[in-house]
């Protein structure tokens, strides 16, 4: 305790620091060794501190910090030296130095590479290539500048590698393959670049796109030799590419070796699928089965879906589960599972007919294999595909039998099977069965859009368009991308004369199916109904751009042009329609009339002769041929044609009239003979018309007498129908129209000659027939 001193308020806290032992004081001025040390490079004498009393002493650590027991007269306490003012500003960099110029240029090159990559990511491939080229120019200028400054040994090889690699990639993206190969070759040939051999994979990919398969295999194998076994995944991908090249060249055995190696080292779904296809190509049934078994046994590494099902009432846990279900990783897992199921289903449908004596047995084997694998749920889908295969083979009975086995399965499978059954019955026009299975499919899965569409179709054919539209709209609510429902909804609105709503449906559908000729044709039809022929023509032109050989569309386009008064465009469209389908009577008639109107009767003859071949019992086409000969001045040929027509149709009044006129003009002796026949035929026609009208009057009276004994409802209905049909007949003062459907067939030749009793016999016989019904009369007189 004797060395402990307690400080009091009056004491100086810093007292005693300047006291020192005189023993340490030395006469340095006379110390030669010290002076020698000061002059040498081994040390430097510290400055001497001066105390208040003037005695010299060595500097202490406390004194160096500015603390002292007594201040110098006139000084202030300033340990940080703030009284000296602010620090002087930093010296500005001199950008004119070679080193600074090189650094600035390097930053510009790196910035251009980044801009090129960003442009590529946004799809601006041309801009990305321009930036890559500019980066290459800047990098070469940088190398020259280093060489001029004498720093050639300090060239940044990583920057050069990045510039060349980006340039080669941009060349490849812009399909400038020769330039890309040259740039890759520059990188590969430079021994100073490490791991440049990996780029031979890129070169092989380019040769594959160019279909230079031998060089592609060569570069793939060179890359495989230069990649170490540590990069197992990359080596597997290269071997997979080699197998694909072998498939393209038809070397299936070599491709099988590559795929078998992959399946033994690191099996994956795509390789298993390709291996199955290769065995199918060479027709090896047993190995097809083994490859399919390998395919369905590939582990996917996907987590169990049950962990995403909420297991408790904890809201926080459920929110976490929902967030995990919708994240990108889970989406990737779902996509992988969908891809695997697609490959398995495709492989099964492909090999099923080939591995057994019948495709049904092959499907059964595939179903058994799938049931014992991790894809158990695909077994039912394979069974449905089996039924669809029956449909494609037109074996509808077997398809129905197969689908009916799913009526007791779970709801999803039952709904799919019932949907297909409803579709089959609808095609067979068994609408009651189609409705039954559509209801069954809807009950099993109300959110199945296909079932709702089938239900709507069964209602549509019964002309209940409002109800059909409701089913179509419900299908769209369940699946907004269901194009079938949208198309059928447009048709329903069209039948309901809600043309604007129908137009809206088909315009939406056109935005989805840009090249659908059916959709564009419906748009044209709607615009025609809306009395906008210009828009109709526009849409029909788009249909022609998709299906340029459709004769009916061409004929419709010609009709619209004709309605607009554009005869030249109409003629062009009708001519194209006739070229693709020379059997359309309406087109033939228009073309013939066009040539007659333009005074080219000789050209019209070929069209009317074509119509004669198509409808040999229609006398008007042969009369048009004779008329064309007559108008063109070829009277002899016209006379021969009329004589041929008279031989085939001896009761044709018009033919006899022209024969009389021609014979009179030419001065032939047969004129009296034809005049006599003309009078007989005209008189016979008049008698037949009178008899026909008398028969209808008599029949009307008989029906009225018979109806007087029937019920009032029945008599009222049939009386109204028959009176309506009687009102449709021409008045007695008007001549009967010989071109109407009531006229006898022009090819008919009465073997008994023109006798007055002949029509009465036919009428009497018809009245006396037991199976006579007024519906038959309606078909003859008033088509519904």
């Amino acid at each position: 305790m004797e060395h402990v001193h307690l400080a009091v308020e009056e004491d100086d806290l810093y007292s005693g620091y300047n006291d020192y032992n005189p023993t340490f004081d030395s006469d340095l001025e006379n110390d030669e060794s010290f002076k020698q040390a000061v002059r040498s490079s081994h040390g430097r004498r510290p400055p001497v501190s001066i105390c208040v009393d003037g005695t010299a002493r060595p500097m202490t650590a406390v004194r160096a910090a500015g603390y002292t027991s007594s201040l110098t007269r006139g000084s202030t306490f300033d340990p940080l030296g703030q009284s000296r003012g602010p620090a002087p500003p930093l010296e500005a960099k001199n950008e004119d130095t070679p080193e600074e110029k090189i650094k600035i240029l390097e930053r510009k090159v790196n910035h251009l590479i980044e801009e090129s990559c960003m442009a590529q990511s946004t799809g601006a491939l041309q801009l990305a290539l321009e930036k890559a080229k500019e980066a290459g120019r800047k990098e070469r200028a940088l190398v020259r500048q280093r060489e001029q400054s004498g720093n050639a040994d300090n060239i940044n090889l990583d920057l050069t590698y990045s510039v060349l690699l980006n340039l080669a990639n941009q060349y490849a993206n812009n399909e400038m393959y020769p330039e890309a190969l040259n740039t890759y070759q520059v990188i590969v040939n430079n021994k100073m670049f490490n791991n440049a051999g990996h780029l031979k994979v890129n070169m092989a990919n380019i040769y594959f796109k160019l279909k230079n398969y031998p060089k592609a295999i060569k570069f793939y194998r060179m890359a495989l030799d230069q990649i170490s076994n540590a990069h197992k995944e990359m080596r597997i991908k290269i071997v997979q590419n080699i197998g694909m090249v072998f498939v393209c060249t038809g070397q299936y055995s070599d491709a099988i070796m590559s795929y078998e190696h992959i399946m033994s080292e690191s099996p994956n779904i795509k390789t298993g699928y390709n291996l199955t296809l290769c065995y199918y190509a060479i027709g090896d049934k047993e190995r097809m089965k083994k490859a399919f078994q390998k395919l369905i046994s590939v582990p996917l590494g996907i987590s169990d879906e049950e962990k995403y099902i909420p297991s408790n009432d904890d809201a926080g846990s459920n929110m976490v589960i929902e967030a995990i279900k919708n994240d990108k990783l889970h989406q990737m897992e779902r996509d992988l599972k969908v891809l695997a199921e697609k490959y398995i289903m495709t492989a099964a449908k492909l090999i099923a007919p080939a591995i057994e004596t019948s495709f049904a047995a092959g499907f059964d084997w595939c179903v058994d294999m799938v049931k014992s694998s991790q894809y158990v749920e695909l077994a039912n889908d394979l069974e449905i595909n089996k039924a669809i295969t029956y449909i494609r083979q037109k074996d509808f009975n077997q398809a129905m039998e197969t689908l009916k086995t799913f009526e007791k399965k779970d709801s999803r499978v039952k709904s799919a099977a019932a949907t297909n059954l409803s579709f089959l019955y609808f095609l067979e026009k068994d609408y009651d069965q189609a409705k039954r299975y559509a209801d069954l499919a809807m009950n099993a899965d109300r959110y199945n859009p296909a079932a709702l569409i089938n239900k709507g179709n069964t209602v549509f054919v019964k002309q209940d368009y409002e109800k059909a539209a409701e089913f179509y709209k419900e299908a769209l609510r369940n699946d907004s991308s269901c194009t079938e429902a949208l198309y059928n909804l447009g048709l329903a609105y069209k039948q309901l004369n809600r043309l604007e709503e129908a137009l809206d449906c088909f315009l939406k559908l056109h935005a989805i199916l840009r090249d659908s000729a059916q959709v564009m044709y419906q748009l044209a039809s709607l615009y025609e109904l809306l009395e906008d022929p210009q828009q109709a023509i526009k849409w029909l032109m788009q249909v022609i751009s998709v299906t340029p050989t459709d004769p009916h569309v061409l004929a419709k386009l010609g009709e619209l042009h004709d309605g607009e008064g554009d005869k030249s465009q109409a003629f062009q469209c009708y001519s194209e329609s006739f070229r693709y389908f020379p059997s359309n009577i309406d087109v033939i008639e228009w073309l013939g009339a066009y040539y007659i109107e333009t005074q080219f009767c000789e050209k019209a003859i070929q069209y009317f002769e074509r119509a004669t071949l198509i409808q040999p019992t229609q006398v008007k086409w042969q009369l048009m041929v004779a008329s064309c000969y007559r108008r063109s001045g070829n009277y002899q040929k016209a006379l021969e044609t009329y004589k041929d027509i008279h031989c085939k149709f001896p009761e044709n009044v018009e033919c006899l009239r022209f024969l009389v006129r021609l014979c009179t003009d030419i001065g032939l002796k047969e004129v009296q003979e034809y005049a006599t026949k003309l009078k007989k035929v005209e008189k016979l026609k008049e008698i037949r018309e009178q008899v026909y009208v008398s028969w209808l009057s008599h029949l009307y009276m008989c029906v009225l007498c018979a109806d007087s004994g029937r019920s009032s409802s029945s008599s009222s209905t049939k009386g109204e129908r028959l009176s309506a049909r009687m009102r449709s007949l021409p008045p007695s003062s008007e001549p009967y129209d010989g071109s109407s459907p009531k006229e006898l067939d022009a090819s008919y030749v009465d073997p008994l000659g023109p006798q007055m009793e002949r029509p009465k016999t036919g009428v009497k016989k018809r009245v006396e027939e037991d199976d006579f019904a007024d519906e038959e009369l309606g078909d003859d007189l008033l088509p519904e």
Side-chain angles (χ1 to χ4, degrees):
M1 296 295 291
E2 57 189 17
H3 300 291
V4 178
H5 300 280
L6 298 177
V8 294
E9 293 182 1
E10 292 80 5
D11 293 341
D12 187 1
L13 294 177
Y14 300 103
S15 62
Y17 285 105
N18 289 334
D19 299 337
Y20 65 97
N21 194 336
T23 306
F24 295 104
D25 194 6
S26 61
D27 188 7
L28 297 179
E29 294 180 358
N30 300 322
D31 190 348
E32 296 295 335
S33 299
F34 178 75
K35 291 180 179 180
Q36 183 68 26
V38 171
R39 288 192 294 268
S40 67
S41 61
H42 297 287
R44 179 176 175 272
R45 185 177 181 181
V48 179
S49 299
I50 304 299
C51 296
V52 178
D53 55 0
T55 58
R57 58 171 293 275
M59 183 176 61
T60 63
V62 176
R63 189 69 176 271
Y67 296 98
T68 180
S69 58
S70 59
L71 297 178
T72 308
R73 183 180 296 176
S75 63
T76 59
F77 180 74
D78 187 14
L80 299 178
Q82 297 179 359
S83 60
R84 290 177 292 181
L90 296 175
E91 294 182 2
K93 286 186 177 181
N94 187 5
E95 296 184 357
D96 294 334
T97 61
E99 293 79 5
E100 196 62 30
K101 289 182 179 179
I102 289 172
K103 290 181 181 179
I104 293 173
L105 200 52
E106 282 185 350
R107 285 195 293 270
K108 288 182 179 179
V109 173
N110 282 316
H111 185 64
L112 286 170
I113 294 174
E114 291 176 1
E115 288 183 346
S116 176
C117 295
M118 291 299 295
Q120 177 194 348
S121 64
T122 58
L125 301 180
Q126 188 64 34
L127 177 61
L129 180 59
E130 293 298 328
K131 294 292 183 182
K133 288 181 178 180
E134 188 177 354
R137 290 191 292 268
K138 296 284 186 184
E139 194 273 335
R140 288 192 293 274
L142 174 62
V143 172
R144 286 195 299 270
Q145 192 166 346
R146 282 186 182 276
E147 291 175 350
Q148 292 173 2
S149 63
N151 294 329
D153 296 336
N154 296 327
I155 294 176
N156 191 344
L157 290 176
D158 292 337
L159 184 62
T160 304
Y161 181 85
S162 300
V163 169
L164 291 174
L165 178 59
N166 181 58
L167 181 60
N169 289 337
Q170 300 310 329
Y171 276 134
N173 292 334
N174 285 272
E175 297 183 358
M176 301 171 66
Y177 298 128
E179 292 84 353
L181 289 172
N182 292 335
T183 309
Y184 280 128
Q185 196 66 46
V186 170
I187 303 174
V188 171
N189 291 341
N190 195 331
K191 302 299 181 182
M192 301 179 67
F193 295 141
N194 297 326
N195 299 323
H198 293 191
L199 297 181
K200 291 183 178 178
V201 177
N202 295 14
M203 299 176 71
N205 291 340
I206 292 176
Y207 281 121
F208 180 80
K209 290 179 182 178
L210 294 173
K211 296 185 179 181
N212 191 345
Y213 300 125
K215 277 200 172 183
I217 294 175
K218 174 185 175 182
F219 276 87
Y220 279 134
R221 286 177 172 170
M222 290 170 64
L224 195 63
D225 294 338
Q226 295 183 11
I227 295 175
S228 63
N229 293 328
H231 301 86
K232 182 178 178 181
E233 185 176 354
M234 178 175 280
R235 290 179 62 86
I236 289 296
K237 290 182 178 180
I238 293 174
V239 174
Q240 190 168 347
N241 288 355
I242 292 173
M244 181 57 63
V245 178
F246 280 132
V247 169
C248 293
T249 57
Q251 298 173 261
Y252 299 113
S253 300
D254 295 330
I256 287 170
M257 292 177 61
S258 299
Y259 291 140
E260 287 285 6
H261 171 73
I262 297 173
M263 294 300 289
S264 62
E265 294 289 332
S266 178
N268 60 79
I269 288 291
K270 185 178 291 186
T271 303
Y273 176 69
N274 290 337
L275 181 61
T276 307
L277 295 183
C278 289
Y279 282 129
Y280 176 80
I282 64 176
D284 194 331
K285 296 182 180 180
E286 294 300 323
R287 291 189 177 181
M288 266 189 273
K289 292 182 178 180
K290 292 180 180 179
F292 184 77
Q293 290 173 341
K294 290 181 180 179
L295 174 62
I296 61 178
S297 62
V298 172
L300 294 180
I302 296 177
S303 303
D304 190 3
E305 291 288 336
E306 293 182 358
K307 75 176 185 179
Y308 298 112
I309 301 175
S311 57
N312 50 31
D313 298 333
D314 187 359
S317 300
N318 293 340
M319 290 178 64
V320 171
I321 291 173
E322 287 297 325
I324 295 174
K325 284 174 64 176
N326 298 320
D327 64 1
K328 292 185 178 180
L329 182 60
H330 188 224
Q331 181 63 39
M332 185 180 69
E333 289 181 346
R334 285 199 296 265
D335 293 342
L336 179 60
K337 185 176 181 181
V338 169
L339 181 65
E341 291 177 352
K342 176 185 175 182
Y343 282 149
I344 292 171
M345 292 292 294
T346 306
K349 289 188 289 186
L350 182 66
I351 69 173
I355 57 178
E356 298 292 345
T357 55
S358 65
F359 86 92
F363 261 110
D364 293 339
W365 182 88
C366 292
V367 169
D368 293 339
M369 292 296 104
V370 169
K371 284 181 179 179
S372 61
S373 69
Q374 55 184 326
Y375 303 99
V376 182
E377 64 274 9
L378 291 181
N380 292 326
D381 295 335
L382 280 175
E383 288 282 358
I384 292 178
N385 273 280
K386 178 182 175 182
I388 294 174
T389 308
Y390 277 126
I391 295 174
R392 289 173 179 167
Q393 294 183 352
K394 309 296 183 183
D395 193 350
F396 298 115
N397 293 329
Q398 286 291 339
M400 291 179 181
E401 292 297 326
T402 305
L403 291 171
K404 286 178 181 178
T405 59
F406 291 96
E407 293 188 16
K408 297 182 180 179
K409 298 284 185 179
D410 58 9
S411 59
R412 184 185 68 86
V413 179
K414 182 192 297 184
S415 178
T419 301
N420 287 319
L421 282 169
S422 175
F423 170 72
L424 284 174
Y425 281 118
F426 188 84
L427 291 181
E428 293 184 345
K429 297 184 179 181
D430 189 349
Y431 300 126
D432 293 333
Q433 286 292 334
K435 178 179 177 297
R436 172 175 171 268
Y437 280 101
D439 291 335
L440 182 62
M442 289 170 55
N443 293 333
D445 184 5
R446 183 71 185 187
Y447 298 99
N448 184 356
L452 291 166
I453 292 172
N454 287 342
K455 177 66 176 179
N457 291 345
T458 59
V459 178
F460 187 96
V461 296
K462 294 183 178 180
Q463 300 182 359
D464 190 353
Y465 304 117
E466 286 284 358
K467 195 172 182 180
E470 292 300 322
F471 284 112
Y472 297 142
K473 286 190 283 188
E474 185 178 353
L476 284 172
R477 285 194 294 269
N478 295 336
D479 183 5
S480 59
S481 63
C482 185
T483 55
E484 293 85 357
L486 190 57
Y487 186 91
N488 291 350
L489 180 62
L491 292 181
Y493 284 146
K494 185 178 178 182
Q495 293 293 333
L496 292 168
N497 204 30
R498 293 157 63 176
L499 302 180
E500 293 293 342
E501 295 177 73
L503 187 64
D504 184 58
C505 290
F506 286 112
L507 286 173
K508 290 179 181 178
L509 197 58
H510 177 67
I512 302 171
L513 306 174
R514 304 295 299 182
D515 297 329
S516 175
Q518 290 179 327
V519 174
M520 290 186 282
Y521 186 83
Q522 290 296 333
L523 285 168
S525 176
L526 286 169
Y527 277 116
E528 184 184 6
L529 293 174
L530 290 169
E531 298 181 355
D532 190 350
Q534 291 299 326
Q535 283 292 330
I537 290 173
K538 171 189 170 184
W539 285 104
L540 284 177
M541 291 297 292
Q542 293 192 36
V543 177
I544 292 300
S545 66
V546 177
T547 57
T549 60
D550 192 319
H552 302 290
V553 176
L554 288 166
K556 187 65 179 179
L557 189 59
E559 179 184 344
L560 290 175
H561 280 303
D562 188 27
E564 290 294 295
D566 192 347
K567 292 287 186 181
S568 61
Q569 285 292 333
F571 172 72
Q572 183 179 355
C573 295
Y574 276 120
S575 298
E576 287 295 305
S577 176
F578 177 78
R579 184 164 70 92
Y580 293 119
F581 184 60
S583 299
N584 190 330
I585 290 295
D586 295 332
V587 173
I588 292 171
E589 185 175 9
W590 191 93
L591 288 171
Y594 174 80
Y595 279 118
I596 292 176
E597 184 180 351
T598 56
Q599 305 299 321
F600 290 99
C601 300
E602 299 88 349
K603 293 186 178 181
I605 293 173
Q606 60 176 329
Y607 295 102
F608 292 126
E609 286 179 346
R610 168 75 64 173
T612 302
L613 294 175
I614 297 171
Q615 295 181 346
T617 60
Q618 291 291 330
V619 68
K620 68 176 181 177
W621 307 122
Q622 301 182 44
L623 290 173
M624 290 302 298
V625 172
S627 177
C628 289
Y629 282 123
R630 182 171 52 82
R631 294 188 183 197
S632 61
N634 193 348
Y635 298 109
Q636 187 63 36
K637 189 68 175 177
L639 181 61
E640 294 176 2
T641 307
Y642 280 124
K643 287 182 177 180
D644 292 339
I645 296 172
H646 178 64
C647 293
K648 296 177 182 176
F649 307 100
E651 296 183 0
N652 187 272
V653 176
E654 186 177 356
C655 177
L656 287 170
R657 286 174 181 171
F658 279 111
L659 279 172
V660 171
R661 184 182 301 177
L662 279 175
C663 290
T664 302
D665 294 341
I666 298 175
L668 297 178
K669 297 179 181 180
E670 296 97 330
V671 59
Q672 188 63 37
E673 177 186 353
Y674 291 129
T676 305
K677 289 183 178 180
L678 176 60
K679 291 181 181 180
K680 290 183 178 180
V681 170
E682 287 177 344
K683 187 175 181 181
L684 177 62
K685 183 177 180 181
E686 183 180 354
I687 294 172
R688 286 179 177 175
E689 290 174 359
Q690 292 176 358
V691 171
Y692 189 75
V693 173
S694 301
W695 167 71
L696 286 178
S697 301
H698 177 70
L699 179 62
Y700 177 59
M701 296 301 297
C702 292
V703 170
L704 287 179
C705 294
D707 287 345
S708 60
R710 299 179 184 176
S711 62
S712 60
S713 61
S714 176
S715 63
S716 175
T717 302
K718 290 204 172 187
E720 291 175 359
R721 291 173 61 186
L722 195 55
S723 62
R725 290 164 185 158
M726 291 298 296
R727 286 195 299 269
S728 65
L729 292 174
S732 58
S733 60
E734 296 180 3
Y736 188 77
D737 186 9
S739 62
S740 67
K742 298 179 288 295
E743 184 181 6
L744 294 176
D745 187 35
S747 62
Y748 172 75
V749 180
D750 192 350
L752 300 180
Q755 299 177 6
M756 293 182 61
E757 294 81 2
R758 184 65 179 179
K760 293 183 180 179
T761 306
V763 171
K764 183 177 179 181
K765 181 180 180 182
R766 184 175 183 181
V767 173
E768 291 177 352
E769 286 178 352
D770 296 334
D771 58 348
F772 174 77
D774 53 350
E775 285 78 14
E776 186 177 353
L777 183 66
D779 289 338
D780 292 337
L781 298 180
L782 192 65
E784 297 179 357

